[in-house]
Amino acid sequence: MSRLNAPSPDGVPETTQGILDNIGAQFGFVPNMFMTLASNPTVLDVVMTLQGTLSRVLDAKTRHTIALAVSQANGCDYCLAVHTYVSSELGGMSSDDIDLARAGSSIDPQRAAVARFAQQVVASRGQVSDADLAAVRGAGYTDPQILAIVTVTVQILLTNFINNVNRTDIDIPAVSPAGLPG
């Protein structure tokens, strides 16, 4: 059971209703995480603005790969469920590639390097080695792209932390530890 209170649909602040309507149009419903965030309109705005802005820094499959790799490394069941759903249903990723991303890899060599690097950023709390940087550069990423990878990683950590603190009730098909639908 979620540990933080979410407003009832009637109790959503007017300033956030438009944001929730847009989220609902995308998913077909408003996921619990966003309902919880709606209790603090400023936090909801920060998360949505960050997600919107970062949607422009890397291609969608790379961002999905980072989200899956980071959520797995950080043990966020809610985010794993959401990102598995989004990657599959909206992002066109195969179940094999989703499982590989969770394991820090990919069917695509460049995205595999990103997944490994993102997980290393999490594991080392940003204290990556020269070899970690060399590996992601060796996969073809430039320093500006590496900055984008780190920033997307941190954005995913933000929502991982929120959902881990809250123990957000999973309202999207859950995933098993192996990455198969739960």
Side-chain angles (χ1 to χ4, degrees):
M1 179 173 204
S2 294
R3 300 190 302 178
L4 301 175
N5 294 318
S8 68
D10 296 343
V12 171
E14 193 174 313
T15 56
T16 63
Q17 190 58 56
I19 295 170
L20 294 179
D21 289 345
N22 288 338
I23 293 166
Q26 182 180 8
F27 284 92
F29 70 103
V30 179
N32 286 335
M33 178 186 85
F34 296 104
M35 285 304 298
T36 300
L37 293 176
S39 70
N40 186 323
T42 301
V43 173
L44 178 63
D45 183 56
V46 166
V47 169
M48 296 308 297
T49 299
L50 191 57
Q51 287 181 350
T53 300
L54 291 178
S55 71
R56 300 188 305 261
V57 298
L58 298 164
D59 68 271
K61 284 188 179 178
T62 300
R63 291 190 322 275
H64 294 315
T65 298
I66 293 168
L68 290 160
V70 169
S71 296
Q72 181 70 44
N74 203 38
C76 184
D77 293 337
Y78 188 84
C79 292
L80 281 170
V82 169
H83 292 298
T84 297
Y85 175 83
V86 170
S87 298
S88 172
E89 301 302 316
L90 306 175
M93 287 178 70
S94 70
S95 60
D96 287 343
D97 206 18
I98 289 168
D99 290 345
L100 286 169
R102 289 181 62 187
S105 191
S106 174
I107 58 174
D108 176 85
Q110 271 196 304
R111 287 198 316 268
V114 165
R116 281 189 300 275
F117 184 73
Q119 285 189 333
Q120 190 55 36
V121 168
V122 172
S124 70
R125 294 188 291 244
Q127 301 288 331
V128 297
S129 68
D130 291 342
D132 294 325
L133 278 172
V136 77
R137 284 181 178 134
Y141 288 97
T142 64
D143 287 359
Q145 290 170 316
I146 293 169
L147 288 172
I149 294 164
V150 172
T151 305
V152 171
T153 298
V154 171
Q155 180 252 317
I156 299 302
L157 281 173
L158 170 64
T159 56
N160 284 178
F161 286 3
I162 288 169
N163 287 296
N164 281 344
V165 165
N166 186 33
R167 293 188 191 151
T168 307
D169 291 331
I170 297 174
D171 54 349
I172 290 179
V175 294
S176 71
L180 302 172

